[in-house]
Amino acid sequence: MPTFLAADPNTPPPNARQRTWLLAALRAADGLLPVGVPTRSLNVLRERGWITTAPAGDDDPMLIRHKITPAGRFALLSVAKADALLSTLVSVEPGRIEAPVQERILDSLVREGLVTRLTRRGQQAEDEEQHPYITNLGRRLVSLPEADDTPAGDYLLAALATSGLEARVETDSNGDSRIVYRRGDVEALFYREVWNPGFYTYSARHPAWMHTKPWTALVTHAEDTVEEHMPSGLGVQEESARMAASFAAWLTHRDDRAFTL
């Protein structure tokens, strides 16, 4: 059970300004409150156990900084918000908030950056049906491991660019996205399957943590088409690097050998 659940439930909740400071500390990689919080407010936060004095920094040893505590994280949550975020532990689709949650609670979680709304194409689009997913900030708040939220396609685009190959994300008529490379008589389509309840779609835009299937390459050259699959289980970043390296090597020696991974 996350340690923040042991905090004192009888402590009054933070007001709007106090929430702003605590959320800023939650977002900071080092957990530090922003500089400039009034002394009187710092005293209240410290008395309630929401912050603690942090070790002096090397840049200014005389500057006293304060760090959010587990109790401070818990103070940012109502029972309803905690239930919503922790419901992802038992969700069928990882990270998705599938339990019934009041819309006003979801709206508040989204405003504070603890939840994001994504379409089935892994995007934030106002004109499409959206579904709520916990963010890394939300994971941090309830002491869950953070996940890699980099779009899967970004890793492959970067790996291809390292090999001097220019590609881009394209979306087909079904709304599926993939990485596309075209030059001369070569066209390569790179895609990953991602699970949507009831079916799979192809996506280059879904966060890396949502991908459990490997990269597939569909390469057309001189009227020949070859389909290759990258072995899974290596992680999106490593799989992308290997796919890009293999494809770059094939482009260099394609007259000598087939495209294989």
Side-chain angles (χ1 to χ4, degrees):
M1 177 180 293
T3 56
F4 72 87
L5 292 180
D8 184 1
N10 298 316
T11 301
N15 59 33
R17 293 185 71 195
Q18 292 167 343
R19 287 188 67 82
T20 299
W21 296 323
L22 291 173
L23 279 169
L26 182 68
R27 294 186 183 98
D30 52 13
L32 293 176
L33 264 69
V35 176
V37 178
T39 301
R40 181 177 178 181
S41 298
L42 288 173
N43 290 337
V44 172
L45 294 171
R46 189 166 43 245
E47 288 169 2
R48 294 181 179 177
W50 296 341
I51 62 172
T52 187
T53 303
D58 295 334
D59 53 340
D60 188 352
M62 300 303 295
L63 179 63
I64 299 176
R65 299 295 302 274
H66 296 83
K67 188 173 185 177
I68 190 171
T69 64
R73 296 201 309 273
F74 178 69
L76 291 168
L77 284 171
S78 63
V79 172
K81 286 184 176 181
D83 286 346
L85 295 176
L86 290 172
S87 71
T88 58
L89 289 171
V90 294
S91 297
V92 174
E93 181 183 350
R96 183 181 172 194
I97 298 176
E98 299 173 343
V101 180
Q102 293 183 14
E103 196 63 27
R104 65 179 183 85
I105 298 297
L106 272 180
D107 288 343
S108 179
L109 290 168
V110 170
R111 282 196 306 272
E112 294 180 337
L114 305 172
V115 167
T116 187
R117 298 181 189 269
L118 299 176
T119 71
R120 281 303 179 207
R121 306 301 175 189
Q123 300 170 283
Q124 295 177 324
E126 296 296 335
D127 57 344
E128 297 181 42
E129 182 182 5
Q130 300 181 50
H131 304 271
Y133 293 85
I134 188 172
T135 64
N136 272 339
L137 189 66
R139 293 173 185 272
R140 187 181 303 172
L141 179 56
V142 293
S143 301
L144 295 178
E146 295 186 33
D148 185 357
D149 57 6
T150 304
D154 287 7
Y155 281 126
L156 184 55
L157 287 172
L160 289 168
T162 298
S163 296
L165 305 178
E166 183 177 349
R168 64 182 183 178
V169 178
E170 289 188 2
T171 302
D172 64 17
S173 58
N174 295 321
D176 293 331
S177 57
R178 62 271 180 97
I179 302 299
V180 178
Y181 170 89
R182 293 188 185 93
R183 187 165 184 177
D185 60 354
V186 176
E187 178 185 71
L189 309 179
F190 303 94
Y191 54 90
R192 298 181 73 101
E193 285 186 315
V194 65
W195 173 250
N196 287 323
F199 58 95
Y200 278 100
T201 59
Y202 300 127
S203 174
R205 294 191 172 96
H206 277 71
W209 65 266
M210 296 180 72
H211 286 269
T212 58
K213 295 282 189 173
W215 281 111
T216 293
L218 190 65
V219 181
T220 301
H221 170 236
E223 300 182 358
D224 292 328
T225 299
V226 178
E227 183 173 320
E228 294 289 347
H229 302 270
M230 173 63 63
S232 60
L234 303 174
V236 176
Q237 188 170 10
E238 176 64 19
E239 291 166 13
S240 299
R242 294 194 184 192
M243 175 64 83
S246 179
F247 180 62
W250 176 81
L251 284 174
T252 302
H253 305 287
R254 62 177 181 269
D255 293 333
D256 303 327
R257 65 185 182 91
F259 175 49
T260 56
L261 300 176

